[in-house]
C-alpha cells in the first residue's frame, strides 16, 4: 500500500504551493485535496440575536470546493502526474483544523502538506493559525509550505 498525502486547499497561493510541493515530492502516492467549508457559510444575523440560514450560499461554497478539486486535477494532469499519482478530491463542512485532522485520521493519511499564510503578531493571535493547530495535533507528519 502506497503513501496517502492529504493536502488541504482553500484557493490561496499558499495552498497551491502546498499542492505543487506534494505532487512534486510524492510521486506515486495517493494525494487527496480537501476543501473545508466553514459551517457558518450561509448563516446571516440580523444583529438582534436572530438570524437565518441560506442553504444556497452553503451550496455555492461546496461547489467552490468541488471546483478547486477540479482545478487541482487539471494542474496535476497538465504536469503529467496522473499517470503515476492517484488524485482524489474531497469537500467537508466543519471547523477547519478539526475537520482536517479528523479527515486525516478517518482516511489513513500518512502525511499532511498544507500552506501557511505566514501571519504573525496580533493577526495570528486574532485569526489563529490552522496550520499551527494541525501541526501540533496531527498524528502524522505535517509539512507546512509558505
Amino acid at each position: 500500500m502506497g503513501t496517502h498525502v492529504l493536502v488541504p486547499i482553500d484557493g490561496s497561493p499558499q495552498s497551491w504551493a502546498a499542492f505543487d510541493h506534494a505532487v512534486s515530492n510524492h510521486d506515486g502516492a495517493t494525494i487527496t485535496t480537501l476543501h473545508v467549508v466553514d459551517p457558518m457559510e450561509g448563516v446571516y444575523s440580523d444583529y438582534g440575536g436572530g438570524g437565518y440560514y441560506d442553504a444556497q450560499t452553503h451550496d455555492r461554497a461546496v461547489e467552490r470546493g468541488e471546483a478547486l478539486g477540479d482545478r487541482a486535477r487539471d494542474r496535476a494532469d497538465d504536469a503529467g502526474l496522473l499517470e503515476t499519482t492517484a488524485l482524489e478530491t474531497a469537500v467537508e463542512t466543519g471547523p477547519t483544523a478539526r475537520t482536517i485532522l479528523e479527515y486525516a485520521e478517518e482516511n489513513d493519511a500518512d502525511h499532511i502538506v498544507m500552506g501557511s499564510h505566514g501571519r504573525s503578531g496580533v493577526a495570528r493571535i486574532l485569526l489563529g493559525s490552522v496550520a499551527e493547530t494541525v501541526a501540533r495535533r496531527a498524528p502524522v507528519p505535517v509539512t507546512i509550505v509558505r
Side-chain angles (χ1 to χ4, degrees):
M1 179 175 216
T3 303
H4 182 200
V5 180
L6 179 63
V7 183
I9 57 173
D10 62 6
S12 68
Q14 295 86 354
S15 70
W16 290 119
F19 176 77
D20 293 342
H21 177 84
V23 296
S24 66
N25 288 287
H26 295 281
D27 187 34
T30 297
I31 296 177
T32 301
T33 62
L34 172 65
H35 178 74
V36 180
V37 176
D38 184 339
M40 296 305 289
E41 192 77 39
V43 175
Y44 297 93
S45 174
D46 63 5
Y47 300 105
Y52 67 94
Y53 176 75
D54 179 8
Q56 291 179 340
T57 301
H58 182 266
D59 292 345
R60 283 192 300 272
V62 170
E63 289 171 7
R64 179 178 179 271
E66 292 169 349
L68 289 171
D70 292 342
R71 185 172 166 200
R73 181 168 304 286
D74 291 343
R75 283 174 84 114
D77 190 31
D78 290 346
L81 298 170
L82 294 181
E83 295 172 15
T84 59
T85 302
L87 181 66
E88 300 173 353
T89 62
V91 178
E92 299 285 334
T93 299
T96 307
R98 182 181 312 156
T99 302
I100 293 167
L101 292 165
E102 287 173 357
Y103 191 92
E105 188 171 332
E106 291 169 5
N107 293 277
D108 298 321
D110 298 304
H111 194 120
I112 300 171
V113 178
M114 62 188 304
S116 172
H117 291 276
R119 293 184 184 102
S120 62
V122 175
R124 183 168 155 215
I125 292 169
L126 293 175
L127 299 173
S129 172
V130 172
E132 181 178 356
T133 300
V134 170
R136 288 179 186 263
R137 297 183 181 170
V140 297
V142 177
T143 299
I144 299 175
V145 179
R146 287 191 185 191

